[in-house]
Amino acid sequence: MRLRRKQNRKHMETNAISRRNFIRVSGIAGTALCLGFYFPANAKKEQLISTATGDQSGFDFNAWIRIDTDGKVTLTDHRAEMGQGSYQSVPQIIAEELEVDLKDINVIFATGDQKKYGSQITGGSSTIRGSYKKLLKLSATAREMLITAAAAKWNVPASECYAEAGHVIHKPSGKKFNYGELVTDASKISPPKDVKLKSASEYKLIRKPLQRLDTPLKTNGSAIFGLDKKLPGMLYASVERSPRLRGKVKSFDDSAARKVPGVKQVFKVQMIVFNTTRDGVVVIADSTWAAMQGRKALHVEWDDSGFDHVSTSDIYKAHEELLQKEEGLSFKKQGDPDGALNQATKKIDVIYQTPYQSHAAMEPLNCVANYQPDKIEIWGPIQAPDWVQGSISEQFKMPKEKVIVNMTFLGGGFGRKAFLDYTQEAVAISKEISGPVQVVWTREDDTKQGPYRAGISYRGQGSLENGEISALKFKMAGQNIGHWNGPKRGEPNDSTAEGFLKPYFDSIKNISFADVPYEMPLPNMWWRSVYASTNGFAYESFMNEMAVLAGQDQLDFRRQYLKDERCQRLIDKMEEVSGWKSRKKNDGFGAAITECFETTVGQVVKVSRHPDGKVKIDQVWAVMDCGWYVNPDIIRAQVEGSIVMALGAATIHEITFKDGLVEQNNFYDYLMPRMSDMPPIEVHIMENTADAGGVGEPGLPPFAPALTDAIYDLTGKRIRKLPFSMNAI
């Protein structure tokens, strides 16, 4: 077992296979078949390359697929694995068209390099939807090159040969070659320009609930997470950071900290947070425990004068005032919604509010950095290795090719580990101590430092004419992520309508969306499903209120306006699986449908009042239309996880501020949903031939509006502000 763990750890070490690395490892060129993509500058489309074309081109080779003479297939996964399943889904795609057994595929993580791998950000539910066509083509191309090589060896037409289970077989004679016997010849063949891909009906692996390749690694302890990485001579760091974003170190007393056994150094450090910095005092020690104990012994005086110390109540009061007084920046408008609203006699005007949220990934932030005069190397749970490479290169004036960013497994990310602050801070500390260091954040650090999902307030106005919607008008007020990242002030939030289904625009004449700018010195950024997580609650809750105003069933009401075939079929499925048409009088049923990252998800929630007087969630039905997909079990797991996260954000936890300080600390006051909180969840996947949509995030937005709609159906109480307590209904 110890030997197996050692071998597995070796396989899991992140590694980039460049052309020169490939030659070094294999001894001579041509002893392996390598295929990848080249991303020329300013090109609209990547170019498929192989060992042969790589020899001719002169550029650094990126081998996404490599087949060695022993028949072993190595896949370089260009995206992170943070629980969402890319470590399984990507090999499952490759194995399908390459015709190999999954057990014969070894997966390694690519290093950060956008020039080699294109975008490497694991976010926006983009890994499969952004890469599956390239991966299918890449593996089918490798298969055809191997078939061509085998046919040449036998001197037979390639049409008489086929691939199966890592072999090329001559159908008339039954002769076969292992892939390993063909790679030398195949590596000299130029890739065919066009290859035929399988139809969905021909799939043997794709769309099958195969067991995940990373499960054994994560259960036997051989998977490499950021905290597992160790370097010779590595020291450990814990940082006491300013509790307010703009606070500065006024002075610090480290005399007690230096007396803690194992503490080596104490000094000031700055961490870049978007377009500003956060001050901190770092304790360096020979263990994480010693660094944390030394940090506790520090006495730091902060200068946090000269800027507002906001509180949560101030934020939402300002939102409400803005929504009433300001028209905001127009994001999208069609028809004349103001004119229709002014003429209508049947209308509603309401405000919805959603809270600030922490990402609260189970694995706290951590990073290993080794700054050297001629190169910088880092290891850790990183969602965007190419972004980190570019950021570190710019900040430390090091050529990009000298910045090596190694991905490990992530224990959850949800957008937080795509941020650049914790990697930059680790490199700055490593540079100061002239050696490798591991920086580990505590749970309190993660909770109090942010960045957070921004709290947003919405004003919804709508009117009916002859029982049909005559106008919809939405305004949102809240922090704009884009305002941290660039000169976008004066422009509306480009996610103002995120989550709102596109077919509504085809069937409702008068619609407008506007963003009311609201600035606040609180770091905010992406959170699972981004703005759809808050927009979805407001917009779908509003559609449910419009259905009540019209005196119509929630799903029947939506049918009138979601007229495309996929939406109609999705509503049919929601009704079928939930028993919507046969629901009982004393049960509360709620529904919502949102779109997120090219995937539409409808959810039905059932609640009832139990003998103890409490309203409880009895069942959730989720129907996902994500188009082309890989593994149904991974989809179900992602939707279930999204619902768990949505339940927490709607009913259990929020980040609040008092005098500019975050009030929450750890899981004792930022509570997580427990197993006992979770109802049964059924996940149903729509079958169609549409392009792939996202999977990891779209299951979250519809839950909160479906839940509050179910509570209204049962109790008559309308909930427009999150979070709320299920025990207080």
Side-chain angles (χ1 to χ4, degrees):
M1 175 62 74
R2 185 173 300 171
L3 177 61
R4 184 194 300 173
R5 289 186 181 181
K6 185 176 180 181
Q7 291 171 336
N8 284 334
R9 284 182 182 272
K10 184 177 180 181
H11 287 159
M12 285 308 308
E13 291 291 344
T14 55
N15 180 33
I17 304 179
S18 69
R19 175 64 186 151
R20 61 180 64 93
N21 284 340
F22 159 63
I23 294 172
R24 185 183 71 246
V25 171
S26 58
I28 56 171
T31 60
L33 174 60
C34 299
L35 285 92
F37 287 102
Y38 173 52
F39 296 84
N42 302 319
K44 294 183 178 180
K45 191 175 182 181
E46 69 282 343
Q47 297 176 12
L48 191 151
I49 55 175
S50 71
T51 313
T53 54
D55 282 336
Q56 300 162 12
S57 65
F59 51 74
D60 209 17
F61 192 89
N62 88 23
W64 286 26
I65 299 176
R66 165 178 166 153
I67 308 172
D68 290 303
T69 53
D70 60 0
K72 189 72 175 180
V73 180
T74 298
L75 165 67
T76 302
D77 191 353
H78 68 305
R79 296 292 180 90
E81 172 55 69
M82 55 186 180
Q84 86 284 14
S86 72
Y87 195 86
Q88 168 66 33
S89 296
V90 174
Q92 201 164 331
I93 293 171
I94 296 296
E96 180 68 68
E97 286 288 359
L98 188 54
E99 293 288 356
V100 296
D101 195 304
L102 269 174
K103 67 177 174 52
D104 291 328
I105 296 181
N106 179 44
V107 185
I108 61 175
F109 294 129
T111 56
D113 194 328
Q114 194 170 94
K115 184 178 178 182
K116 283 186 180 183
Y117 300 103
S119 172
Q120 292 178 264
I121 170 67
T122 305
S125 297
S126 61
T127 297
I128 299 302
R129 71 186 177 99
S131 302
Y132 81 101
K133 290 181 179 179
K134 292 195 292 283
L135 294 169
L136 288 169
K137 181 179 179 181
L138 200 66
S139 44
T141 299
R143 180 195 68 222
E144 291 306 306
M145 292 169 71
L146 291 162
I147 288 174
T148 300
K153 276 180 172 287
W154 288 318
N155 195 26
V156 299
S159 59
E160 293 183 357
C161 305
Y162 67 97
E164 183 178 81
H167 292 78
V168 175
I169 302 167
H170 182 229
K171 192 171 183 180
S173 67
K175 294 185 293 186
K176 65 171 65 176
F177 281 121
N178 178 278
Y179 281 176
E181 299 174 275
L182 299 170
V183 294
T184 299
D185 290 342
S187 67
K188 300 171 185 176
I189 299 172
S190 294
K193 291 185 177 180
D194 296 303
V195 291
K196 183 180 179 182
L197 301 180
K198 296 180 182 180
S199 65
S201 62
E202 297 175 291
Y203 289 153
K204 303 172 186 175
L205 302 176
I206 292 175
R207 301 201 175 186
K208 303 297 188 293
L210 304 181
Q211 294 182 356
R212 289 177 56 152
L213 296 172
D214 52 339
T215 299
L217 304 176
K218 291 175 179 177
T219 52
N220 67 23
S222 62
I224 301 295
F225 288 82
L227 289 172
D228 296 319
K229 184 63 185 177
K230 300 291 182 285
L231 295 176
M234 186 175 79
L235 294 176
Y236 301 83
S238 186
V239 183
E240 182 73 7
R241 301 174 186 87
S242 170
R244 293 186 176 92
L245 174 63
R246 299 181 184 181
K248 301 299 180 184
V249 174
K250 191 172 185 179
S251 64
F252 66 92
D253 180 356
D254 62 357
S255 55
R258 289 180 179 275
K259 293 177 182 178
V260 173
V263 170
K264 305 290 186 183
Q265 291 177 256
V266 181
F267 53 88
K268 179 183 170 181
V269 68
Q270 278 193 333
M271 176 178 71
I272 294 176
V273 181
F274 292 112
N275 56 3
T276 186
T277 59
R278 193 192 296 271
D279 273 12
V281 178
V282 58
V283 177
I284 304 294
D286 58 12
S287 70
T288 299
W289 174 255
M292 288 180 174
Q293 296 310 301
R295 175 183 168 187
K296 288 179 181 179
L298 280 174
H299 294 283
V300 184
E301 186 178 355
W302 303 100
D303 178 4
D304 49 18
S305 60
F307 54 90
D308 292 337
H309 296 177
V310 298
S311 297
T312 296
S313 58
D314 299 329
I315 293 172
Y316 289 98
K317 182 180 178 182
H319 285 181
E320 292 172 13
E321 291 176 353
L322 287 168
L323 289 171
Q324 295 297 336
K325 295 178 181 179
E326 304 289 338
E327 281 302 303
L329 303 171
S330 178
F331 174 75
K332 187 176 180 67
K333 183 178 180 180
Q334 62 185 39
D336 182 15
D338 287 320
L341 285 167
N342 289 334
Q343 295 175 12
T345 56
K346 203 169 188 179
K347 54 189 175 182
I348 54 176
D349 184 344
V350 293
I351 287 179
Y352 302 94
Q353 294 183 326
T354 57
Y356 282 79
Q357 294 284 353
S358 172
H359 296 80
M362 290 297 105
E363 174 201 29
L365 291 169
N366 63 88
C367 183
V368 171
N370 189 15
Y371 179 96
Q372 300 174 66
D374 60 342
K375 73 172 183 177
I376 299 171
E377 190 162 12
I378 67 175
W379 297 259
I382 295 168
Q383 279 186 247
D386 50 334
W387 289 3
V388 171
Q389 183 193 40
S391 171
I392 297 298
S393 172
E394 180 181 351
Q395 291 164 20
F396 293 91
K397 311 303 179 186
M398 185 75 71
K400 261 190 179 183
E401 63 271 16
K402 298 294 185 179
V403 179
I404 304 166
V405 182
N406 302 288
M407 289 188 289
T408 65
F409 279 114
L410 286 71
F414 313 118
R416 176 61 181 94
K417 291 169 186 171
F419 197 37
L420 309 172
D421 57 344
Y422 67 108
T423 53
Q424 177 270 332
E425 182 187 57
V427 174
I429 294 171
S430 174
K431 181 179 180 181
E432 180 70 22
I433 68 173
S434 301
V437 67
Q438 183 178 72
V439 185
V440 179
W441 292 45
T442 66
R443 177 63 56 193
E444 287 80 6
D445 292 336
D446 192 34
T447 303
K448 287 186 169 296
Q449 296 291 310
Y452 307 103
R453 184 192 78 172
I456 311 284
S457 297
Y458 300 82
R459 183 181 178 187
Q461 296 171 267
S463 59
L464 296 174
E465 201 67 49
N466 299 320
E468 296 184 356
I469 295 175
S470 59
L472 292 177
K473 183 178 181 180
F474 295 111
K475 293 189 291 185
M476 66 180 289
Q479 288 183 260
N480 186 339
I481 295 171
H483 286 183
W484 288 103
N485 290 326
K488 291 188 176 182
R489 299 179 193 281
E491 299 178 18
N493 189 323
D494 58 10
S495 298
T496 300
E498 191 172 86
F500 191 74
L501 275 71
K502 296 178 182 67
Y504 282 131
F505 291 103
D506 297 327
S507 55
I508 300 173
K509 183 178 179 181
N510 303 301
I511 302 180
S512 71
F513 283 86
D515 170 35
V516 182
Y518 174 75
E519 302 297 335
M520 180 57 55
L522 296 172
N524 68 293
M525 64 175 296
W526 320 282
W527 189 87
R528 195 174 192 172
S529 74
V530 199
Y531 283 99
S533 70
T534 54
N535 293 359
F537 170 65
Y539 301 156
E540 278 298 277
S541 292
F542 191 80
M543 294 305 289
N544 283 326
E545 294 206 47
M546 290 291 286
V548 172
L549 185 67
Q552 295 184 36
D553 173 276
Q554 303 98 304
L555 290 181
D556 287 343
F557 186 71
R558 284 174 172 80
R559 277 189 187 278
Q560 298 178 59
Y561 307 104
L562 301 174
K563 295 181 179 180
D564 73 299
E565 182 183 354
R566 290 177 70 177
C567 283
Q568 291 288 314
R569 290 183 60 230
L570 184 129
I571 293 172
D572 288 343
K573 192 69 173 180
M574 292 170 68
E575 290 181 339
E576 173 195 338
V577 299
S578 67
W580 181 266
K581 294 296 187 182
S582 59
R583 58 195 191 275
K584 298 177 182 178
K585 185 177 181 180
N586 293 327
D587 290 329
F589 275 71
I593 306 172
T594 58
E595 186 275 334
C596 178
F597 300 124
E598 308 300 327
T599 287
T600 302
V601 179
Q603 291 183 16
V604 174
V605 176
K606 175 182 176 292
V607 300
S608 63
R609 195 173 292 280
H610 286 225
D612 60 6
K614 295 180 180 179
V615 173
K616 296 186 178 179
I617 306 172
D618 298 324
Q619 180 85 39
V620 180
W621 294 270
V623 181
M624 172 174 274
D625 184 350
C626 59
W628 190 93
Y629 66 88
V630 181
N631 188 317
D633 271 4
I634 289 178
I635 293 176
R636 293 186 181 100
Q638 287 302 294
V639 174
E640 290 169 0
S642 294
I643 290 172
V644 172
M645 199 164 175
L647 175 66
T651 68
I652 297 174
H653 51 65
E654 68 174 318
I655 291 293
T656 59
F657 308 93
K658 185 175 181 180
D659 191 30
L661 298 173
V662 176
E663 295 187 285
Q664 288 69 39
N665 297 277
N666 206 317
F667 289 145
Y668 64 82
D669 55 5
Y670 192 81
L671 301 175
M672 292 288 109
R674 303 294 184 97
M675 290 293 291
S676 57
D677 296 319
M678 294 310 302
I681 300 171
E682 283 186 19
V683 180
H684 300 269
I685 305 166
M686 300 297 291
E687 298 283 349
N688 56 51
T689 59
D691 286 345
V695 167
E697 300 171 82
L700 190 148
F703 175 77
L707 172 61
T708 55
D709 186 42
I711 290 170
Y712 174 82
D713 189 43
L714 178 69
T715 68
K717 180 179 180 180
R718 183 66 73 183
I719 296 170
R720 300 190 181 104
K721 181 178 175 60
L722 303 180
F724 66 94
S725 172
M726 291 291 293
N727 294 329
I729 300 170

